[in-house]
Amino acid sequence: MRGRTHLAVGERRWVHGAFGLMAWIVGLVYFFPVFWMVLNSFKSEQDANTSPKLFFHPTLDRYKDVTKSATGLLSFGEAFTNSAVVVIVSTIIVLALAIPAAYALAIRPVHKWRDVLFFFISTKFLPVVAAILPVWILARNLGLLNTRNVLIILYTGLNLPLAVWMLRSFFREIPRELIEAAEIDGAGLKGQLTSIILPMAAPGIAATALLCVIFAWNEFFYAVQLNPVKGSTVPIWVTTNISTRGDFLAKLSAASVLACIPVVLAGWIAQKRMIRGLAMGAIK
Amino acid sequence: MTSVRYEHATRTYDGTSSPAIDDLELDIGDGELLVLVGPSGSGKSTALRMLAGLEPLDDGAIYIGDQDVSNVRPRDRDIAMVFQNYALYPQLSVAQNMGFPLKQQGVPKEERTARVREVARLLDLEAYLDRKPKNLSGGQRQRVAMGRAIVRRPAVYLMDEPLSNLDAKLRVQTRTEVVELQARLGVTTVYVTHDQVEAMTMGHRVAVLKDGVLQQVDAPGTLYHEPVNLFVAGFIGSPAMNLVPLGSGRPLQLGGSTLELSPAGEAAVVASGANGNITVGFRPEALEVGEGPLRAQIRTVEDLGSEVFVHLFLQHSGENLALVAKTSPPFAGRPGDNVGLQITGTTHLFAGDQSRLASTTASFRSAVSA
Ligand SMILES: Nc1ncnc2c1ncn2[C@@H]1O[C@H](COP(=O)(O)OP(=O)(O)OP(=O)(O)O)[C@@H](O)[C@H]1O
Ligand SMILES: [Mg+2]
């Protein structure tokens, strides 16, 4: 008996070790390209394009190159502002729509709520390419091409189903009695939302908002189709650093790093909340 | 003046075939503490939630005072509810929790604070006003939940098993406190519990539910001494009443002795029909262990100090029948001893349809000596 338990414990430790090692390897494999990109962004074009070099003379010149605005071209500042506006406005709209929707689906389920929920997620089944032509024609007819507004509308639409699903599962975590108690205590919808539901679901709402921000910030396909010139976002700006003549790897790396920073920052700041929020949502 | 009236109130949950509350007729007087009791799943919470407005009525009506509240929103019913798990708002302090209903009513801040303080003093919670619920003990949380109900001075209190999360000792103590508080405030209260001791000790009247159907509403004493049917007889009282099915034979026989009834009892049995299945019930304190014509064997003896419960086996139509007797100490019998039993108190007779036929005096007479 004793021997067996010892063996079992030893075995488990070995398995744990193996899994841990694998996790590290996978993590490093994922991280390596990012690491290489950051490294490249501090190199000269020459260094970046010659055989892989770990030791070099670091320079911030590439960052200066990419942030320098040239006339006629999309500047970093413009792109950044556009992205910020599009991302923040669309996320606020998403939350403003998704919170009442999630309330209606989780706390006071409307008739046929399952169908409604399925409908939301079914909008994600279609390939984006299949929709781009009608969307483009619509946008053109409405005079929305090359505006921030078209992206705000699209990103709201893109993130809404996800936000409704996530928020619904967070709202369901709130004990029913709490909402009933608030109801008896005289709280209307507004009172229930502001005093009970929103404070309790705050981590979940933060996680949802963060995901919306990240998806909107990173979105490229719609941005490049509908908004390639004025009002363009950071992902488009990154690609403008690809030039047809001369080397651009280091420059592109620097631009990419800049594009990543806000997302990484947001993720890092919200890390704790987000993991809690995501884990909470995953239970249901 | 706030009375409460259930009128043919019925509730069937979606996706279930039988009603959770079936045609409930119940009148609760102004200032009364009425206890709803019943086994798990009998519909107690449903009945309470219907009164709170948390469950819609499928049929019938509910009145609070003179007003038909069947279609009135919970917050407009002027009620306060204490939940089993207290349902305290976790992100609010004790003071904010208790002040929450007042805040929703738009009571100005100063008055709010004053009223919360007053109730906190009443419930001995003053030291905890700034704490969050998670930093309180179970008993303190329970008091905060009570406080939140009291502070708004509603017309009716609803309590759904508010003591069931407390340990036994605290439960007994809090029970008394709740009774005192209710008497002092004089507010009509509907109190739900599955614990018949709690029901008997707290209720002015007790309503017994089974499978969504109201069995009996009466003062605790009446419920104990005059249960309307087998279910109430078996549910009320601890240890439970001894209930022995005696079949349709006449005269009534138990374990080789004859049950001799008073003339009134005899008449009731006759009136119930010649072949009706009769069940006889007698409380543990009505069963005397010692000399008696009914032969039984002691299984276990529970000596509680102030009283002794004797668990016995009786041979009845080839089966081992368990009985309980209650005596006062000292008791000399030991497990395995053969003893004689006799009935010294009231005997209840129940008909085949489970209703009570009569409560009467009776005694066992040895069939052999007859
Ligand atoms: N939301 C619901 N949907 C369907 N059936 C329900 C629902 N709530 C309760 N029921 C059923 O209704 C019946 C009565 O339930 P209720 O909660 O009122 O019982 P209770 O007497 O309060 O029991 P307990 O002592 O366990 O709290 C049970 O059979 C239960 O399964
Ligand atoms: Mg219940």
Side-chain angles (χ1 to χ4, degrees):
Chain A
M1 228 25 242
R2 234 192 119 121
R4 257 184 60 186
T5 13
H6 269 261
L7 187 70
V9 167
E11 214 168 282
R12 207 175 310 144
R13 196 171 295 158
W14 186 86
V15 171
H16 274 200
F19 275 130
L21 189 68
M22 252 158 70
W24 269 104
I25 291 172
V26 170
L28 285 175
V29 167
Y30 266 86
F31 180 69
F32 184 75
V34 179
F35 170 72
W36 200 247
M37 174 181 83
V38 175
L39 221 55
N40 271 345
S41 72
F42 291 108
K43 293 180 183 172
S44 64
E45 289 297 349
Q46 214 176 354
D47 281 344
N49 283 283
T50 49
S51 57
K53 225 178 180 182
L54 213 45
F55 299 99
F56 56 91
H57 196 70
T59 163
L60 283 174
D61 289 353
R62 300 295 83 67
Y63 285 94
K64 281 181 198 140
D65 290 349
V66 295
T67 49
K68 193 170 57 199
S69 45
T71 40
L73 279 179
L74 180 67
S75 79
F76 172 69
E78 279 165 2
F80 196 94
T81 315
N82 288 336
S83 268
V85 169
V86 168
V87 164
I88 290 169
V89 174
S90 73
T91 302
I92 288 173
I93 298 174
V94 163
L95 290 181
L97 294 175
I99 286 172
Y103 178 92
L105 289 168
I107 290 166
R108 212 152 303 249
V110 290
H111 191 55
K112 296 213 183 261
W113 60 269
R114 267 175 211 283
D115 297 345
V116 176
L117 211 54
F118 181 75
F119 168 75
F120 272 118
I121 209 70
S122 71
T123 59
K124 287 263 167 207
F125 295 170
L126 288 178
V128 171
V129 230
I132 189 65
L133 188 62
V135 167
W136 189 87
I137 292 170
L138 260 177
R140 187 196 56 190
N141 291 354
L142 294 172
L144 288 171
L145 283 184
N146 298 324
T147 62
R148 285 175 191 164
N149 288 348
V150 72
L151 293 185
I152 290 176
I153 293 168
L154 280 171
Y155 293 174
T156 302
L158 278 183
N159 283 330
L160 198 55
L162 174 88
V164 170
W165 269 70
M166 282 181 72
L167 288 177
R168 176 183 165 271
S169 63
F170 294 127
F171 285 5
R172 281 178 55 112
E173 300 279 311
I174 300 171
R176 194 174 118 140
E177 290 86 10
L178 278 185
I179 292 157
E180 291 177 344
E183 218 179 326
I184 291 175
D185 284 345
L189 179 60
K190 187 171 146 265
Q192 288 171 37
L193 273 177
T194 53
S195 340
I196 314 293
I197 298 171
L198 295 187
M200 286 197 72
I205 295 172
T208 309
L210 192 66
L211 273 194
C212 291
V213 164
I214 290 173
F215 287 166
W217 183 272
N218 292 342
E219 206 285 331
F220 178 72
F221 185 75
Y222 281 121
V224 81
Q225 300 301 330
L226 299 167
N227 197 344
V229 223
K230 266 203 315 179
S232 253
T233 52
V234 169
I236 310 278
W237 166 79
V238 170
T239 61
T240 60
N241 289 294
I242 303 171
S243 43
T244 42
R245 235 170 302 146
D247 294 332
F248 55 82
L249 191 56
K251 246 173 79 181
L252 188 60
S253 295
S256 301
V257 169
L258 287 178
C260 290
I261 284 175
V263 177
V264 172
L265 265 184
W268 183 65
I269 293 166
Q271 192 180 38
K272 267 199 187 137
R273 297 203 126 186
M274 172 137 157
I275 287 174
R276 221 200 107 201
L278 287 178
M280 208 166 97
I283 296 168
K284 287 257 156 119
Chain B
M1 282 299 288
T2 314
S3 54
V4 170
R5 191 161 91 248
Y6 288 84
E7 235 178 54
H8 299 292
T10 300
R11 169 72 180 142
T12 310
Y13 285 107
D14 291 341
T16 59
S17 52
S18 59
I21 282 293
D22 196 357
D23 199 21
L24 178 62
E25 287 280 341
L26 184 58
D27 261 307
I28 303 161
D30 181 37
E32 183 176 18
L33 171 52
L34 181 111
V35 177
L36 275 176
V37 72
S40 188
S42 56
K44 309 177 295 288
S45 296
T46 307
L48 200 70
R49 293 169 56 83
M50 287 159 82
L51 177 54
L54 298 171
E55 292 295 340
L57 299 183
D58 292 316
D59 201 4
I62 290 178
Y63 290 83
I64 296 179
D66 296 328
Q67 194 196 358
D68 180 352
V69 294
S70 310
N71 294 310
V72 173
R73 286 182 305 190
R75 60 177 142 140
D76 297 328
R77 293 192 181 196
D78 198 16
I79 50 166
M81 185 152 167
V82 180
F83 290 80
Q84 178 172 357
N85 56 11
Y86 314 139
L88 299 178
Y89 311 123
Q91 76 284 2
L92 302 183
S93 69
V94 168
Q96 287 169 325
N97 261 284
M98 299 209 294
F100 185 80
L102 299 181
K103 192 171 172 187
Q104 299 304 319
Q105 286 174 357
V107 174
K109 188 153 198 259
E110 270 174 28
E111 188 189 337
R112 224 154 67 203
T113 319
R115 276 168 73 174
V116 166
R117 285 219 157 268
E118 183 191 320
V119 172
R121 197 171 313 127
L122 183 73
L123 294 172
D124 209 6
L125 283 170
E126 278 175 300
Y128 310 105
L129 282 174
D130 295 327
R131 288 215 201 156
K132 291 279 167 65
K134 67 169 189 292
N135 299 325
L136 296 175
S137 73
Q140 289 161 348
R141 276 180 218 174
Q142 199 277 336
R143 295 212 296 280
V144 176
M146 296 285 295
R148 189 173 64 186
I150 292 170
V151 79
R152 56 180 292 195
R153 300 174 191 154
V156 186
Y157 292 135
L158 314 183
M159 306 192 187
D160 194 351
E161 312 215 11
L163 306 184
S164 60
N165 284 343
L166 303 181
D167 65 55
K169 198 166 175 190
L170 195 55
R171 191 153 62 220
V172 173
Q173 181 191 332
T174 314
R175 194 162 86 193
T176 321
E177 285 168 11
V178 172
V179 169
E180 280 171 3
L181 199 63
Q182 197 273 342
R184 189 156 146 197
L185 299 167
V187 175
T188 312
T189 302
V190 185
Y191 185 105
V192 163
T193 178
H194 65 267
D195 179 353
Q196 54 92 20
V197 177
E198 215 168 282
M200 297 293 278
T201 50
M202 295 182 75
H204 299 166
R205 285 189 308 152
V206 177
V208 183
L209 279 173
K210 181 200 173 208
D211 298 337
V213 179
L214 181 64
Q215 309 287 312
Q216 184 172 6
V217 202
D218 265 314
T222 315
L223 224 49
Y224 190 82
H225 296 293
E226 297 165 36
V228 295
N229 59 25
L230 264 179
F231 176 79
V232 177
F235 187 74
I236 300 291
S238 173
M241 185 189 283
N242 296 295
L243 293 168
V244 187
L246 294 186
S248 56
R250 302 288 187 275
L252 298 168
Q253 298 266 348
L254 176 60
S257 7
T258 304
L259 186 63
E260 253 189 9
L261 303 170
S262 68
E266 203 62 59
V269 171
V270 171
S272 78
N275 306 316
N277 276 315
I278 300 286
T279 300
V280 63
F282 41 89
R283 298 231 173 249
E285 60 268 28
L287 192 61
E288 193 184 79
V289 184
E291 298 308 310
L294 199 57
R295 304 307 300 173
Q297 192 178 41
I298 298 180
R299 282 164 70 198
T300 54
V301 176
E302 292 170 1
D303 189 345
L304 303 185
S306 62
E307 54 199 13
V308 179
F309 297 122
V310 186
H311 296 263
L312 304 135
F313 267 139
L314 178 79
Q315 284 292 323
H316 176 61
S317 52
E319 280 179 50
N320 259 345
L321 193 76
L323 295 178
V324 190
K326 177 176 156 184
T327 72
S328 33
F331 180 76
R334 304 177 135 274
D337 288 359
N338 284 308
V339 291
L341 303 177
Q342 183 55 284
I343 295 186
T344 55
T346 312
T347 302
H348 305 280
L349 298 167
F350 299 93
D353 66 356
Q354 313 221 325
S355 66
R356 186 171 55 99
L357 290 169
S359 299
T360 176
T361 54
S363 61
F364 287 112
R365 189 164 47 82
S366 169
V368 186
S369 68

